[in-house]
Amino acid sequence: MASRREVAELAGVSEATVSRVLNGVGPVREETRQRVLEAARKLNYQIHALAASFARGRSGNLGVVLPHVPKVRLFSTYYFSEMLDGIGEAVRERGMGLLLLYRRPQEPFDYVPLFGSVRIDACIVLGASSLPEEEAGIRAMADEGLPFCMIDHRSGDGRASSVCAAHEEGSRRAVQHLIESGYRKIGFLNGSPWYSPSREREAGYMRALREAGLAPDPKRMFAGNYSRTSGRRAAEDVYARLRDLDAIFVANDRMAIGLMQALRERGVRVPDDLAIVGCDDSDAAAMVDPPLTSVRVPFGAMGRTAAERLLDRLPDWRGTESVFHETLATELVVRESSAPRS
Amino acid sequence: MASRREVAELAGVSEATVSRVLNGVGPVREETRQRVLEAARKLNYQIHALAASFARGRSGNLGVVLPHVPKVRLFSTYYFSEMLDGIGEAVRERGMGLLLLYRRPQEPFDYVPLFGSVRIDACIVLGASSLPEEEAGIRAMADEGLPFCMIDHRSGDGRASSVCAAHEEGSRRAVQHLIESGYRKIGFLNGSPWYSPSREREAGYMRALREAGLAPDPKRMFAGNYSRTSGRRAAEDVYARLRDLDAIFVANDRMAIGLMQALRERGVRVPDDLAIVGCDDSDAAAMVDPPLTSVRVPFGAMGRTAAERLLDRLPDWRGTESVFHETLATELVVRESSAPRS
């Protein structure tokens, strides 16, 4: 491991300047800052400097990186507001700040400098996907051994800590419930496969069919993007294949509610003509008519768990050795939208 | 990552001009500013610019101070989630971060050091009240001439910028609507008078009665604390005085919904036995049964306006001279809970 003096020599500056740059304190000319960062990178000095700044100067902020979802008000969305409330509780109890940062669409997000300039001590990533440009940002953080965690998404990189929900088991249980309620021609409306929960829900759907000796049918698989509008759009395809369906499992409540509304406009009765089960158990699930059966996902507890694990481990974070993975249980909440087949 | 020179070349300006624009210092023609921002966006220069602003003594963060409300999940509350979404839009467009900080109950909040330690460049205060320990924190910021703004609360200190809603006019309109619909014995369930909107709503209620030649009656005034539970609790008093009431105006939807639910459990029919009008026009207002007439408050636009005014003035903030006050219009949304008296 290189020393601070070696970084200073390579950059042609004083050791004090190296400290100022790497700890993000005091005024430094941008060109100088770049030269120091370049030298530190070349000498692989980064981790050492970060460890030092963690020991000494902390920002007192937990960073939370949010996706940019066009036309969606994130805080007004059950999924994000619940996770943020859980994270916020843990942050508040520790007297820290919560720094929200926004990813831009179709752009790699450069997380590492956020730590280097001591804007954040640790980082939680929400709404991440497996898209290559997103994975690259995650890998860069893991390369540096930085303290971060993803919620509700499993990265391909095992060095990325995660707090997830048992979506496969929850989905299996939801489809099993439909089968026990007398339904046999069970469709599946999923969200984008770039999100790991989508892949897990599909696995659970498949497993439930297999366990009941039912053959999956590609004609009963539908695709949305987790928005209510995409649920409404899917209604056209679902309606066209209604003879082949008596129930449908939907990967989140927003799509399920959009689908239900659009089907009702076409005269389809739920559950008489088509039973529907959603995922998330959002506030809206109990409010719609008929009330929606849904897989409850403990987003608030997931947010709190992620923040607590990160912040509790922070004082002696040891890079990859400190990585953690947790999976919280889901639970099926049965309502009228999946009443037993008459 | 693009360099400053590349941005300068694409925009056809000098590097010094790029610095002036991205750091928000010095005079720049608006057309030039737009060209530089356009070039920076195209070249994904953002984080680099943030790092530069940090090096200069800017954090690149807008601070938002939240109250600690026991047992309330703030992000899941319409009032806060809407304002935060509005603030978030403005922050995101500027490539900045949003630093959430939590006030502790019964403790003065020391805002000033947040600026000094370069954690934030400007500050928005949500959910503030006129309690002396809160006013002290606000006064300290004003004494320093720091760039900050309160949303939906007018401080006694005129040097505190504010973005508010026309609650008095909205409340006047709501009560006038009840009078026009045939109601005469109109009660009022208010929240805590420590919040300026409560005082303005009471003034609007009084004005509408006066304009219609109706005498206010202290027996028709009820007190809650803006929670749904306090609305449920108020139902007991309201029920006891039901002979003296044919309608009630409630200072927010949460209390109105709690009141409506608890009254229904006692067999009271809305609006036949008692008409109800709420405030906020939250998502829930349209979902309850009967749908709730409510005064729409543009919380999202208020959040966006506060953040834009602050951040746009930031480059040449001149203390008290730069203070601003805006009041956004409210609008009555009529639904079944206040149907004309039969």
Side-chain angles (χ1 to χ4, degrees):
Chain A
M1 180 87 64
S3 72
R4 191 178 62 168
R5 209 184 56 208
E6 290 173 90
V7 175
E9 275 170 12
L10 184 61
V13 299
S14 70
E15 286 189 53
T17 301
V18 172
S19 293
R20 277 209 300 281
V21 169
L22 295 179
N23 297 326
V25 290
V28 180
R29 278 176 46 222
E30 180 57 24
E31 186 225 341
T32 307
R33 206 182 74 86
Q34 287 303 326
R35 223 166 49 232
V36 170
L37 290 177
E38 185 67 26
R41 243 190 312 270
K42 273 191 189 144
L43 294 170
N44 194 25
Y45 184 74
Q46 196 67 30
I47 291 170
H48 185 67
L50 281 168
S53 81
F54 285 148
R56 294 182 41 259
R58 288 268 173 81
S59 70
N61 297 334
L62 172 66
V64 174
V65 180
L66 297 167
H68 175 57
V69 190
K71 284 191 240 165
V72 168
R73 297 170 305 156
L74 288 184
F75 297 106
S76 308
T77 305
Y78 182 81
Y79 181 79
F80 290 104
S81 65
E82 288 286 310
M83 291 193 289
L84 285 167
D85 272 318
I87 295 168
E89 280 175 23
V91 165
R92 193 181 64 211
E93 286 166 9
R94 286 159 179 77
M96 295 181 70
L98 183 60
L99 181 62
L100 297 174
L101 300 153
Y102 295 87
R103 274 200 299 276
R104 283 156 182 255
Q106 272 91 49
E107 277 182 19
F109 192 90
D110 201 356
Y111 299 92
V112 176
L114 299 174
F115 290 84
S117 62
V118 202
R119 292 178 77 193
I120 58 174
D121 298 335
C123 181
I124 290 178
V125 182
L126 300 187
S129 77
S130 308
L131 286 166
E133 61 268 28
E134 295 204 37
E135 284 282 350
I138 297 302
R139 212 161 35 238
M141 268 196 289
D143 286 344
E144 302 286 346
L146 294 169
F148 74 100
C149 177
M150 320 189 71
I151 303 185
D152 203 33
H153 180 70
R154 267 179 247 273
S155 166
D157 193 322
R159 300 169 304 166
S161 293
S162 66
V163 174
C164 293
H167 291 303
E168 180 172 342
E169 174 56 20
S171 302
R172 189 194 69 81
R173 182 71 200 91
V175 176
Q176 187 187 50
H177 154 74
L178 284 168
I179 294 167
E180 287 166 0
S181 303
Y183 301 96
R184 286 293 172 276
K185 299 185 285 185
I186 302 168
F188 179 36
L189 169 55
N190 202 359
S192 160
W194 288 107
Y195 299 103
S196 67
S198 307
R199 304 192 292 269
E200 294 162 21
R201 290 191 186 107
E202 179 164 333
Y205 165 79
M206 291 295 189
R207 207 167 99 218
L209 292 186
R210 201 168 52 238
E211 286 173 1
L214 297 170
D217 182 343
K219 287 200 305 294
R220 294 187 186 135
M221 309 282 276
F222 304 89
N225 67 7
Y226 285 120
S227 73
R228 189 185 305 203
T229 311
S230 76
R232 290 192 63 90
R233 259 197 310 263
E236 205 168 313
D237 288 350
V238 170
Y239 187 78
R241 299 188 202 157
L242 212 49
R243 275 179 319 177
D244 269 330
L245 293 167
D246 54 21
I248 188 162
F249 172 56
V250 184
N252 77 344
D253 287 350
R254 290 171 82 88
M255 288 197 294
I257 290 169
L259 173 68
M260 195 153 83
Q261 287 170 337
L263 286 177
R264 178 188 295 183
E265 288 162 18
R266 292 163 190 260
V268 177
R269 294 162 307 160
V270 175
D272 305 51
D273 299 329
L274 188 76
I276 301 184
V277 173
C279 283
D280 289 355
D281 192 36
S282 58
D283 292 335
M287 292 192 193
V288 289
D289 182 31
L292 183 68
T293 296
S294 189
V295 179
R296 178 172 295 166
V297 182
F299 294 116
M302 289 159 73
R304 181 183 248 286
T305 302
E308 285 179 346
R309 294 291 173 279
L310 267 183
L311 298 177
D312 290 349
R313 281 156 197 243
L314 199 53
D316 42 21
W317 184 267
R318 283 188 301 273
T320 313
E321 280 177 61
S322 299
V323 163
F324 56 92
H325 295 282
E326 292 209 27
T327 303
L328 276 63
T330 54
E331 182 194 354
L332 186 68
V333 180
V334 177
R335 300 194 182 89
E336 291 165 42
S337 70
S338 65
R341 195 163 189 202
S342 48
Chain B
M1 179 90 63
S3 71
R4 192 178 60 168
R5 208 183 57 209
E6 290 173 88
V7 174
E9 277 170 9
L10 184 61
V13 300
S14 70
E15 285 188 55
T17 302
V18 172
S19 293
R20 278 208 300 281
V21 169
L22 295 178
N23 297 326
V25 290
V28 180
R29 278 174 46 220
E30 180 56 24
E31 189 231 327
T32 308
R33 205 178 76 88
Q34 288 304 329
R35 224 165 50 227
V36 170
L37 289 177
E38 182 69 23
R41 244 191 311 270
K42 275 192 188 143
L43 294 171
N44 190 25
Y45 188 72
Q46 203 61 41
I47 286 171
H48 186 68
L50 272 175
S53 80
F54 191 86
R56 271 195 55 256
R58 286 271 170 80
S59 68
N61 297 334
L62 172 66
V64 174
V65 180
L66 297 167
H68 173 58
V69 190
K71 285 190 235 163
V72 167
R73 298 170 303 156
L74 288 183
F75 297 106
S76 307
T77 305
Y78 182 81
Y79 181 80
F80 290 104
S81 65
E82 287 287 309
M83 290 193 289
L84 285 167
D85 272 317
I87 296 168
E89 280 174 22
V91 165
R92 193 181 63 212
E93 286 167 11
R94 286 159 179 78
M96 293 180 72
L98 183 60
L99 181 61
L100 297 175
L101 300 153
Y102 295 88
R103 273 199 300 277
R104 283 155 185 258
Q106 272 90 48
E107 272 181 27
F109 192 91
D110 202 358
Y111 300 91
V112 177
L114 298 175
F115 291 84
S117 63
V118 202
R119 291 178 78 190
I120 59 174
D121 298 334
C123 182
I124 290 177
V125 182
L126 299 187
S129 77
S130 307
L131 286 167
E133 61 268 27
E134 295 203 38
E135 283 284 348
I138 297 301
R139 213 161 35 238
M141 268 195 290
D143 286 343
E144 302 284 342
L146 294 169
F148 74 100
C149 177
M150 319 189 72
I151 304 185
D152 203 33
H153 179 70
R154 268 178 247 272
S155 166
D157 193 323
R159 300 169 304 165
S161 294
S162 65
V163 174
C164 294
H167 291 302
E168 179 172 341
E169 174 55 20
S171 302
R172 191 193 68 81
R173 182 72 199 91
V175 176
Q176 187 186 52
H177 154 74
L178 284 168
I179 295 168
E180 288 167 0
S181 303
Y183 301 96
R184 286 294 171 275
K185 299 185 284 184
I186 301 169
F188 178 35
L189 168 56
N190 202 358
S192 160
W194 288 108
Y195 299 103
S196 68
S198 306
R199 304 193 292 268
E200 294 162 20
R201 290 192 187 108
E202 179 164 334
Y205 164 79
M206 292 295 188
R207 207 167 101 219
L209 292 186
R210 203 168 53 237
E211 287 173 1
L214 298 171
D217 182 344
K219 287 200 305 295
R220 293 188 186 133
M221 309 282 274
F222 304 89
N225 66 8
Y226 286 121
S227 73
R228 190 184 304 202
T229 311
S230 75
R232 288 191 64 90
R233 260 197 309 262
E236 203 167 316
D237 289 351
V238 170
Y239 186 77
R241 301 189 200 156
L242 211 50
R243 274 179 319 178
D244 269 331
L245 293 168
D246 54 21
I248 187 162
F249 172 56
V250 184
N252 79 342
D253 288 351
R254 291 171 81 88
M255 288 196 293
I257 290 169
L259 174 68
M260 194 153 84
Q261 287 170 337
L263 286 177
R264 177 187 295 182
E265 288 162 18
R266 292 161 189 262
V268 177
R269 294 161 308 159
V270 174
D272 304 53
D273 300 328
L274 188 77
I276 301 184
V277 173
C279 283
D280 290 355
D281 193 35
S282 57
D283 293 333
M287 291 191 193
V288 288
D289 181 31
L292 182 69
T293 296
S294 189
V295 179
R296 178 172 295 167
V297 182
F299 295 116
M302 290 158 73
R304 180 183 249 285
T305 301
E308 285 178 346
R309 293 292 172 279
L310 267 183
L311 298 176
D312 290 349
R313 281 155 197 243
L314 199 55
D316 42 20
W317 183 265
R318 281 187 303 274
T320 313
E321 280 177 61
S322 299
V323 163
F324 57 92
H325 294 283
E326 293 210 26
T327 303
L328 275 62
T330 53
E331 181 194 355
L332 185 69
V333 180
V334 176
R335 299 196 182 89
E336 290 164 44
S337 70
S338 64
R341 197 165 186 201
S342 47

